[in-house]
Amino acid sequence: ISAEAPILFAKACEMFIIEMTIKGFYNAEDVIEKPLRKDIATAIARTETYDFLIDTIPKTELLQHVGLETFTPYQTQLLEKS
């Protein structure tokens, strides 16, 4: 079992990165000079399952790129507490 754990963990990480990339791509606009962080921040703000990632992006940068209306209610509470 322990020999299989790194393989499964690597596959789970790969799937997570693919999903974040796809969600970031869907949130991308046609602006070339826009940073990738905005796309990822928008994906985090619009997806409830990514609530645990809300603290990974600085609050000031997150609010600069993403409007408050896109956050889930739980994420809004987390942002108000910090």
Side-chain angles (χ1 to χ4, degrees), residues 25-43:
F25 175 76
Y26 286 143
N27 290 312
E29 298 170 2
D30 293 331
V31 180
I32 295 173
E33 293 104 18
K34 186 179 56 118
L36 177 63
R37 291 184 77 146
K38 179 182 178 192
D39 301 332
I40 299 299
T42 306

Side-chain angles (χ1 to χ4, degrees), residues 62-77:
L62 190 63
L63 293 175
Q64 177 186 4
H65 294 306
V66 182
L68 282 175
E69 66 277 353
T70 59
F71 291 107
T72 64
Y74 181 73
Q75 290 174 338
T76 305
Q77 289 176 351

Side-chain angles (χ1 to χ4, degrees), residues 1-17:
I1 294 175
S2 64
E4 297 170 354
I7 297 169
L8 292 174
F9 186 71
K11 186 64 177 175
C13 289
E14 178 184 344
M15 292 170 64
F16 178 73
I17 291 169

Side-chain angles (χ1 to χ4, degrees), residues 37 41 44 53-66 71 79 82:
R37 291 184 77 146
I44 290 171
L53 293 172
I54 200 74
D55 293 329
T56 60
I57 299 174
K59 182 180 176 182
T60 56
E61 185 173 335
L62 190 63
L63 293 175
Q64 177 186 4
H65 294 306
V66 182
F71 291 107
L79 287 171
S82 58

